[in-house]
Amino acid sequence: MSAGIAFGRAYLIGRDTLKAPRHHVEPDDVDTEVARLYKAIAASDKQLAKIKEKLASENESDYHIITAHQMMLHDEHLVGAAVGYIREQTINAEWALRRAVDDIAGVFDSIEDEYLRERRSDVEFVFERVLRNLLGRDTGPLAPPPDAIVVAYDLSPADTATLHKAAVAGLITDAGGKTSHTAIIARAHEIPAVVGLETITEVVETDDLVVIDGASGVVIVNPTPQTVADYREEQRRQVAAGAHLHTLRDLPARTRDDTAVQLFCNIDGPDELDDAIDYGAMGVGLFRTEYLFMGKGRLPDEERHYQVAVQVLEKLKGLPATIRTFDLGADKLAPFLEDAALEEANPALGLRSTRLCLAPLGRTLFHTQLRGLLRASAHGPIKIMFPMISGVGELRAVKAVVDEVKAELTAEGVPFDPDTKLGIMIEMPSAALTADLLAQECDFFSIGTNDLIQYTLAVDRVNEYVSYLYEPLHPSLLRLIGTVAAAAKAANIPVTICGEMAGEPMIAPVLVGLGIRELSMSAVSVPEVKSTIRSMTVTDAEALVGRIRGLATATEVRAIVSDFIFGLARPRTASGGIAAQSPADKGRA
Ligand code: PEP
Ligand code: MG
């Protein structure tokens, strides 16, 4: 989903069933057929490169998704299988390619992990383009009229990334889930979207009037005038709330009893910083550097780490930048890791993150990244943060590598700040429970609640079957956060929360009541969290924590916390309260 309300006329993109013809080729023509396939792959690569070129300066995540698609084009396994079919069965390239894609698609279907399963559609998109090139069909961009609601079976990330240029009002699709790249790109461009509606292309016709409420996933086709009026009103409320939040940009995030709460942003690349500053973030609390490792065969060198970090510092103009060393493995895969083909039954409990940095497979990369980051420390306030630290032993091991790198730089006469702050993410119960010991040996903590919830509740964070158990307000989590905050306070070191829960306005009073004074979140959440902070007092937040302390379940905690939120006398943003749809509306998904 991608939040926001949109109205528009439907522009239906029919499900173009691109059939692959099948015919035999003469044994003498097999080489020509293989060459046709490679030529179509090369043409597809060029088309994607062109799309990417247009997008490069706008949004780094689109860029990387399309780079990943280019990599898929050259997947030896898939292309090799297609070439094998051409040669062994003397059949044409289109048919051979279709079979090779179907073989792979079958494997994707049996994967339980939602995110990985959705990569099937990426493979389909990529090779559909190749098929189009083989058949000499149109591969140009979609061209809906401006302000249209695009209705499609599915949209490729390349199409979605170019659609915002066409100024479409919204997107709705039959296929896809919340981690499909279409949804991710729509969110990045703030295009309201609802995906995974299954049969919407059968319900809607071109030129039908459509209303989308991206936040609640509602689509109404040919609504009554009353429904339109209700949604227009809701849209106005949301815009006004947004404008109100924008006016908060330059106001401090201080509680009514005058305690400052620092609000930072989480970013994936320097290109996100202009917006983040616009939303009022006071620095970077988490820079996820994994994206630097995503290009095939182009592992980042020291210069790249250095340049990117300096770019972040320049954009921040003196505000602090917390840069996390790479956190690869499990749900964050990079080509070099895929090539290593680790056979792990439980990747989330396996060779990921800092463990990988300290293992032979990742050690040189880690060393290189640390050199780049320490060199950048000469240009501004960088803090280096290590993810997934399990305890003091691992902390000492990473610090030993930092010492090695510092010694090298000193010997080479390369400038760096010797007092660069070194901190750790608290993402495992083992770290939370030994926070007092860890606090003696590092400069700051940042609680990664996404993983801390996963590992405390034993709930895979990307597994839809157990997502109902993924509960930030579980009493166990509140206890762990309280323990970490107390340990940080006793040792006089700062502690941030940088998991998704830091960006939930409703949870902010609980975190402040537990002693947290720094929150790092996706930049769009900064204004709303700031609004909550400015409407409450620390005294009340501490009393709230006192009330929830003895509660046994997350449901009970949530009830008390929502009472607290309703009680805050603050200018409220619109939430819920959307008028129900009239029964006269033609369709609803
Ligand atoms: C976390 O685990 O809360 C976190 C911020 O790290 P990531 O989501 O990148 O694993
Ligand atoms: Mg994490």
Side-chain angles (χ1 to χ4, degrees), residues 324 327 352 427 451 461:
R324 174 172 81 181
D327 181 28
R352 59 166 293 201
E427 307 189 85
D451 277 313
R461 58 193 267 192

Side-chain angles (χ1 to χ4, degrees), residues 531-555:
S531 174
T532 306
I533 299 286
R534 289 177 59 82
S535 336
M536 62 185 230
T537 64
V538 172
T539 313
D540 288 346
E542 285 171 353
L544 168 70
V545 166
R547 281 206 298 286
I548 59 181
R549 186 159 280 134
L551 298 180
T553 67
T555 312

Side-chain angles (χ1 to χ4, degrees), residues 286 288 324 327 332 425 427 448-451 461 498-499:
L286 167 63
R288 293 178 164 105
R324 174 172 81 181
D327 181 28
K332 305 186 190 89
M425 290 188 72
E427 307 189 85
T449 46
N450 303 340
D451 277 313
R461 58 193 267 192
C498 65

Side-chain angles (χ1 to χ4, degrees), residues 459-575:
V459 176
D460 178 349
R461 58 193 267 192
V462 291
N463 181 338
E464 63 187 304
Y465 300 112
V466 287
S467 59
Y468 69 98
L469 292 168
Y470 193 89
E471 181 44 88
L473 291 179
H474 192 283
S476 59
L477 261 299
L478 302 180
R479 288 184 187 192
L480 288 178
I481 293 171
T483 303
V484 176
K489 187 171 180 193
N492 200 21
I493 63 168
V495 53
T496 310
I497 292 195
C498 65
E500 290 306 301
M501 73 191 276
E504 289 202 32
M506 180 174 142
I507 296 183
V510 179
L511 301 179
V512 171
L514 286 167
I516 301 293
R517 298 291 179 266
E518 296 183 7
L519 299 170
S520 189
M521 64 200 74
S522 146
V524 287
S525 303
V526 167
E528 241 193 306
V529 172
K530 189 190 276 187
S531 174
T532 306
I533 299 286
R534 289 177 59 82
S535 336
M536 62 185 230
T537 64
V538 172
T539 313
D540 288 346
E542 285 171 353
L544 168 70
V545 166
R547 281 206 298 286
I548 59 181
R549 186 159 280 134
L551 298 180
T553 67
T555 312
E556 292 163 58
V557 173
R558 222 164 249 287
I560 301 286
V561 174
S562 28
D563 272 358
F564 179 89
I565 291 288
F566 278 117
L568 290 181
R570 68 184 176 106
R572 303 295 305 284
T573 59
S575 62

Side-chain angles (χ1 to χ4, degrees), residues 30 43 46 60 99 137 303 317 321 369 373 393 575 588:
V30 158
K46 256 194 192 147
E60 200 129 3
R99 281 206 56 182
R137 298 276 279 269
E303 198 56 24
K317 299 192 178 73
Q369 181 169 34
L373 294 181
S575 62
R588 179 179 175 144

